[in-house]
Amino acid sequence: METKQINKASKDKLLGLLGIALKAGKLTVGTEQVCDSVRRNGHAERFDDYGPEETNKKSKIHKKCGCVITASDASANTVKRILNSCNYYNVNFYRGTVTSSELSDRLGKNGNISAVAVFDKGFVNAIQKLL
């Protein structure tokens, strides 16, 4: 786990992308919600009560969790819980680019936000370019 420092312009772009992703419904906010989303959506496809041979008939495809970003001032326990989930379900994990107060201010949420999960491939690609 490596903490990467980014410049102010890149930080503003990152926060802007996260705000747009939230409005588009492609972002999960909060530690518990992020852990649950990673567990539920860690794999691209899940089949309800049907086997793979019946995928053409009735399959339910969930959106894949693309990446998780934690705040630089998130607690060690929070980071450990999220990192373990991300490692198990093969989800990209980024740590320490913005603070929790910056996240909550930009996303318009009350309290401090320790983690967010992004689901859209386009948003994930743009975030990876910045990080």
Side-chain angles (χ1 to χ4, degrees), residues 46-51 54-61:
R46 302 204 186 223
F47 305 105
D48 289 338
D49 296 324
Y50 307 101
E54 298 177 5
T55 57
N56 293 335
K57 295 179 184 175
K58 294 182 179 181
S59 67
K60 185 174 183 181
I61 299 176

Side-chain angles (χ1 to χ4, degrees), residues 34-118:
V34 167
C35 286
D36 289 342
S37 295
V38 168
R39 282 187 216 115
R40 278 194 318 261
N41 305 318
H43 301 288
E45 294 182 350
R46 302 204 186 223
F47 305 105
D48 289 338
D49 296 324
Y50 307 101
E53 65 278 353
E54 298 177 5
T55 57
N56 293 335
K57 295 179 184 175
K58 294 182 179 181
S59 67
K60 185 174 183 181
I61 299 176
H62 292 278
K63 52 188 175 180
K64 180 163 174 36
C65 185
C67 73
V68 173
I69 301 171
T70 59
S72 59
D73 55 353
S75 69
N77 187 36
T78 299
V79 172
K80 180 185 171 202
R81 287 178 52 214
I82 294 172
L83 182 61
N84 288 340
S85 295
C86 289
N87 285 337
Y88 185 78
Y89 290 105
N90 296 322
V91 174
N92 294 331
F93 177 83
Y94 299 103
R95 162 110 170 115
T97 55
V98 294
T99 64
S100 59
S101 61
E102 289 173 333
L103 275 173
S104 61
D105 288 343
R106 187 59 72 102
L107 299 178
K109 300 288 184 180
N110 293 334
N112 290 334
I113 298 173
S114 296
V116 294
V118 183

